[in-house]
Amino acid sequence: MKDIFLCSICNVSSGACLEDCAYCTQSAKYNAKIERYRLKPLEQILQEARRAADNGALGFCLVTSGRELDDKRVEFISQAAKEILKEGLHLHLIGCSGIATKEALKELKEAGIASYNHNLETSKNFFPQICSTHSFKERYETCENALEVGLGLCSGGIFGMGETWQDRLDLLSALQTLNPHSVPINFFIPNPALPLTKEVLSKEEALECVKLAREYLPNSRLMIAGGRERVFGNDQEELFRCGINAVVLGDYLTTKGNTPKEEVERIKGYGYSIATSCE
């Protein structure tokens, strides 16, 4: 029986990003109707971490919107990580704060962050069509930096932004060179505030993307993330048959997900068990 790894997201700061990623409601440039705040109180982060552990999550990702992991974010995320670890929750802590230097990542690791999440998002060739304020190269180098300092790497992408099948293959080839331990698979969901206007992928096309990802990345934890509910509704069993072995549990950064109880019951109903170890 396949064990399914569960990961919860904590949106530590929301809607203050000055980058122009055309797919992202966190960008302040597009004024999407989302909740906006600078830094979430530490006690609220701790409450979310406790709740994640109670719901069966092993991964807990601390996300701050913005271009880069600057000194202020290093200090705050490090403090949050230390407080979570004091609770004895045994969560695999993941940092996600944009472009990052090796020095900044080393500090996170020393504080107890185990992995860093920085998605490549799409192919090198297509990337300039979805973002002009930073480059694919900067994203790739951040992933390399995480690996060089000994952090686990979580890196994936978004399908359905208007990219070609060749772009999808190129993205997966780039991820293959990094060999991340975890690969989030997202599907673009349009928002009236965003400049990117594409139809939601069909279930069939989305499944083909998942199959390709598993083919290219046979040893990675393949995590289904944003867009899952919109594309697949309540009929998600085929995802797991195609190679998904990890799920984002609960809410996403700016959109609601299904309740953790619903997700766990659905996964168990498909005949899978919930992972109790990160191994």
Side-chain angles (χ1 to χ4, degrees):
M1 182 184 292
K2 184 162 64 175
D3 288 343
I4 306 301
F5 181 94
L6 303 179
C7 182
S8 288
I9 297 172
C10 177
N11 196 8
V12 175
S13 68
S14 178
C17 185
L18 298 179
E19 301 300 283
D20 69 355
C21 302
Y23 54 83
C24 187
T25 54
Q26 294 261 62
S27 174
K29 293 180 180 293
Y30 305 133
N31 296 312
K33 293 180 180 179
I34 62 168
E35 188 179 2
R36 299 180 188 277
Y37 49 87
R38 288 292 178 179
L39 289 171
K40 191 174 280 183
L42 273 175
E43 182 52 40
Q44 188 176 346
I45 294 171
L46 282 172
Q47 288 174 1
E48 290 184 31
R50 295 182 196 115
R51 191 157 55 244
D54 288 344
N55 288 330
L58 291 175
F60 189 67
C61 189
L62 297 159
V63 184
T64 63
S65 66
R67 176 183 173 82
E68 61 189 350
L69 181 61
D70 56 22
D71 291 344
K72 182 178 181 181
R73 291 181 190 182
V74 168
E75 181 181 0
F76 189 83
I77 296 299
S78 295
Q79 185 182 2
K82 290 173 183 176
E83 292 296 325
I84 291 168
L85 292 172
K86 280 183 191 176
E87 295 274 313
L89 297 175
H90 305 295
L91 290 167
H92 180 95
L93 298 182
I94 306 157
C96 180
S97 294
I99 296 162
T101 64
K102 283 184 270 191
E103 292 70 26
L105 292 167
K106 282 178 185 176
E107 289 190 53
L108 290 191
K109 184 183 178 188
E110 289 167 3
I113 294 293
S115 296
Y116 197 70
N117 170 224
H118 196 55
N119 293 334
L120 295 183
E121 304 300 19
T122 191
S123 72
K124 181 179 179 180
N125 286 337
F126 188 71
F127 193 85
Q129 296 187 46
I130 59 166
C131 181
S132 69
T133 48
H134 63 269
S135 67
F136 180 92
K137 183 173 182 283
E138 288 174 289
R139 282 183 174 264
Y140 191 91
E141 287 176 350
T142 291
C143 293
E144 289 183 311
N145 290 343
L147 291 170
E148 285 185 36
V149 304
L151 285 167
L153 177 63
C154 175
S155 185
I158 306 172
F159 295 100
M161 296 188 291
E163 75 283 353
T164 65
W165 279 104
Q166 186 59 54
D167 287 317
R168 293 169 183 176
L169 297 177
D170 290 346
L171 165 63
L172 294 172
S173 293
L175 289 170
Q176 203 174 46
T177 64
L178 293 166
N179 192 28
H181 72 71
S182 185
V183 177
I185 301 294
N186 300 277
F187 303 110
F188 176 69
I189 302 301
N191 182 291
L194 296 177
L196 190 61
T197 55
K198 298 294 176 185
E199 294 295 323
V200 177
L201 286 185
S202 68
K203 178 180 175 181
E204 292 72 24
E205 188 171 357
L207 284 173
E208 285 302 314
C209 295
V210 172
K211 290 175 185 176
L212 274 176
R214 177 49 76 205
E215 180 182 333
Y216 273 72
L217 300 153
N219 300 315
S220 296
R221 184 181 292 136
L222 210 58
M223 181 180 297
I224 198 69
R228 167 172 55 106
E229 294 86 351
R230 179 77 175 270
V231 174
F232 293 93
N234 292 322
D235 185 18
Q236 300 176 20
E237 185 172 7
E238 193 67 22
L239 280 168
F240 301 97
R241 291 179 180 171
C242 290
I244 291 297
N245 56 356
V247 170
V248 172
L249 188 69
D251 296 337
Y252 300 93
L253 291 172
T254 61
T255 58
K256 289 287 186 182
N258 294 323
T259 68
K261 183 180 179 182
E262 287 177 305
E263 295 295 358
V264 170
E265 288 178 353
R266 178 181 293 110
I267 291 166
K268 289 182 176 179
Y270 294 151
Y272 301 104
S273 55
I274 304 302
T276 57
S277 168
C278 291
E279 299 302 322

